[in-house]
C-alpha cells in the first residue's frame, strides 16, 4: 500500500530556519521548502497530505476486489471438491445455502460485497438460526461457525476482505458427553 505521509522538518539555513516538507508520489521522493513560518508550513503539509489521500496527486491506491457472498461460497465449495469427503461437502453446502439465503433476504448490501460483512452481521445470522421451527442445535451452530470462519479465511486469502468477521466469535458450549445435568427420582432411588 502506498505511503501517504508528509513529513515536516525544520532546517537551519544561514542565521535563520526554514520548513521543508518531504513526501513520495509514485515512488519519487519530493522535498520542497515551504517557508519560514511554521503555521504556513503546517497548512501546506496538511493540503498535500489531503491531496495524497484523495488521490489528486495520481498516487496509485489499493485496488479492492469485490465478490458477492453467493459467488464466494460457490468458489469455496468448488475449491473443496476432492479435498473433503462428499458428506462434508454436502454439510458445507447446507451451511452456505442458509448463510447466503439469510444475507440476501435481510442484508442485501452485505450479500453484494463480502468486505462489508462484520461480526455483528454474523451474530445476527447465528441468532436467526437458533429461532423458529427449524432452529439449529448448538452442535450444528458450532459447525456453521467453523464453516464461516474457514469461508472468510478463504476470502481473506483472495483479498476480498481484510478481516475475518468470525475471528473472535466463540463456539457454543456443549454439555460433556455422557454427563447429565440432573437425575430423575427413579434413577436416584
Amino acid at each position: 500500500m502506498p505511503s501517504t505521509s508528509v513529513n515536516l522538518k525544520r532546517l537551519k539555513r544561514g542565521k535563520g530556519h526554514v520548513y521543508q516538507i518531504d513526501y513520495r508520489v509514485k515512488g519519487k521522493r519530493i522535498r520542497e521548502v515551504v517557508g519560514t513560518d511554521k503555521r504556513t508550513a503546517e497548512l501546506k503539509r496538511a493540503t498535500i497530505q489531503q491531496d495524497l489521500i484523495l488521490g489528486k496527486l495520481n498516487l496509485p491506491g489499493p485496488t479492492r476486489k469485490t465478490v458477492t457472498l453467493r459467488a464466494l461460497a460457490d468458489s469455496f465449495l468448488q475449491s473443496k471438491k476432492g479435498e473433503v469427503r462428499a458428506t462434508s461437502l454436502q454439510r458445507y453446502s447446507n451451511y452456505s445455502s442458509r448463510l447466503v439465503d439469510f444475507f440476501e433476504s435481510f442484508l442485501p448490501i452485505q450479500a453484494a460485497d463480502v468486505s462489508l460483512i462484520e461480526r455483528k452481521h454474523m451474530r445476527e445470522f447465528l441468532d436467526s438460526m437458533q429461532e423458529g421451527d427449524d432452529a439449529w442445535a448448538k452442535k450444528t451452530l458450532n459447525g456453521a461457525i467453523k464453516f464461516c470462519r474457514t469461508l472468510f479465511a478463504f476470502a481473506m486469502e483472495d483479498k476480498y476482505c481484510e478481516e475475518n468477521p468470525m475471528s473472535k466469535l466463540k463456539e457454543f458450549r456443549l454439555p460433556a458427553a455422557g454427563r447429565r445435568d440432573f437425575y430423575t427420582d427413579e434413577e436416584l432411588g
Side-chain angles (χ1 to χ4, degrees):
M1 183 169 183
S3 172
T4 57
S5 65
V6 179
N7 299 316
L8 181 65
K9 296 179 186 176
R10 182 178 172 181
L11 302 174
K12 192 169 188 173
R13 294 278 163 95
K15 293 183 180 183
H17 61 274
V18 293
Y19 289 92
Q20 176 188 46
I21 55 174
D22 183 8
Y23 60 97
R24 292 184 181 271
V25 175
K26 292 187 177 181
K28 182 180 177 188
R29 186 173 185 184
I30 299 172
R31 289 185 272 187
E32 57 185 276
V33 175
V34 291
T36 58
D37 181 32
K38 185 175 183 180
R39 179 164 163 51
T40 306
E42 286 177 344
L43 287 172
K44 180 72 174 175
R45 176 185 168 271
T47 303
I48 292 175
Q49 179 89 28
Q50 185 176 11
D51 289 346
L52 283 170
I53 291 171
L54 296 176
K56 292 181 182 176
L57 297 177
N58 296 323
L59 187 65
T63 56
R64 189 172 65 92
K65 298 180 352 183
T66 60
V67 67
T68 64
L69 185 58
R70 183 175 297 280
L72 176 67
D74 291 343
S75 176
F76 176 74
L77 292 173
Q78 283 295 325
S79 73
K80 291 298 177 185
K81 281 188 179 174
E83 289 183 20
V84 297
R85 293 181 181 170
T87 54
S88 296
L89 197 59
Q90 180 59 45
R91 191 173 58 252
Y92 294 167
S93 178
N94 292 340
Y95 293 144
S96 71
S97 66
R98 293 287 290 265
L99 178 70
V100 169
D101 291 344
F102 172 81
F103 272 89
E104 287 178 347
S105 298
F106 299 107
L107 300 165
I109 294 171
Q110 286 78 10
D113 184 4
V114 295
S115 67
L116 301 176
I117 296 175
E118 298 175 5
R119 190 172 297 119
K120 65 182 178 183
H121 302 127
M122 295 310 298
R123 280 195 191 111
E124 288 178 34
F125 166 68
L126 292 171
D127 290 344
S128 73
M129 294 299 111
Q130 295 179 61
E131 300 169 355
D133 295 336
D134 58 346
W136 284 354
K138 288 185 179 181
K139 185 172 182 176
T140 307
L141 286 168
N142 286 345
I145 290 171
K146 290 175 189 173
F147 166 77
C148 291
R149 215 176 265 147
T150 308
L151 176 70
F152 285 104
F154 178 78
M156 287 175 62
E157 286 176 13
D158 287 350
K159 307 277 190 260
Y160 292 125
C161 60
E162 294 179 16
E163 183 179 318
N164 190 336
M166 298 298 293
S167 63
K168 294 184 181 173
L169 278 179
K170 294 183 180 178
E171 295 179 16
F172 294 95
R173 294 187 86 182
L174 299 174
R179 187 169 178 187
R180 302 174 84 183
D181 291 337
F182 63 90
Y183 294 94
T184 62
D185 291 335
E186 294 87 30
E187 292 174 328
L188 290 174

